[in-house]
Amino acid sequence: MLSLSQDAAADALLDRDPLALLTGMLLDQQIPMEKAFAGPAVLAERLGTDRLDARQIAEYDPEAFLALFAERPAVHRFPRSMAGRVQALHRAIVEQYDGDVTGLWADAADGAELLRRLSALPGFGTQKAQIFVALLGKQRGVTPAGWREAAGAYGDEGAFRSVADVVDPDSLQKVRAFKQAAKAAAKAGTNAAG
C-alpha cells in the first residue's frame, strides 16, 4: 500500500488508480508532498467517482473544472494553472494512450523509453519524469531494463531523495531531511559564489 499522502483513503486511491498516482506526481510542486498526493482523492470526490477518468477530466468544461479545483480547500495553491495542467495531462493520456495511463509503461522497451514518454507529458520535465520512473520501479513493480539508470540518482537503492522513497512517516522525514540539506548546500554555494 502506498503511503504518499499520509491519509489512508487518499493513499488507497493512489494504490488502486495509476492515473491518480500520475496526477499526484503532476501536482507535486510548490506544495507539501502529502497535499499533492491527496489531491487526486479530493478531485475524485468532487467529481463524484471512486477513481479518476482521463476522458471525463479531459472533456470537462475548463471553467467548471477550475471551480472544482479551486473550491475550498483548493486542490493546489495555484488552482488556475494547475487545473489547466491536469486537464492537459489527461488529454495527452486520452490522445496518446486511449485513456489508459498504464499504456505509458506497459510496452516501454526500456527505462530510457519510459523516461522519454514521461518527459513528453504536459507538466513533466526531466526531473519529475525521473522521480516517477523511480516511483514506478521502487513501489509499483514497473521495472523495464535500465529503469534505475533512467531514474538517475532517484533510482538508487536505499536512497531517501524523493517521493519514490516514501513508504511510511519515517521515510518521509528522511526525504525531507535530504531535501533540506540539499537546499542548504545550494544556498551556501550561491552565497559563496556571490
Side-chain angles (χ1 to χ4, degrees), residues 20-41:
L21 186 61
L22 185 72
T23 302
M25 188 73 225
L26 174 68
L27 294 171
D28 190 17
Q29 56 187 337
Q30 299 181 316
I31 60 174
M33 181 199 83
E34 301 95 317
K35 181 166 175 63
F37 283 94

Side-chain angles (χ1 to χ4, degrees), residues 102-159:
T102 63
L104 266 163
W105 54 82
D107 64 351
D110 55 28
E113 183 178 349
L114 175 57
L115 180 64
R116 276 193 302 277
R117 289 177 180 187
L118 286 163
S119 298
L121 292 173
F124 276 73
T126 302
Q127 183 180 35
K128 189 175 285 283
Q130 286 181 311
I131 292 170
F132 200 73
V133 168
L135 178 58
L136 288 172
K138 290 179 175 182
Q139 297 197 45
R140 300 283 82 192
V142 177
T143 56
W147 72 270
R148 285 191 189 272
E149 293 78 8
Y154 300 108
D156 291 351
E157 197 167 338

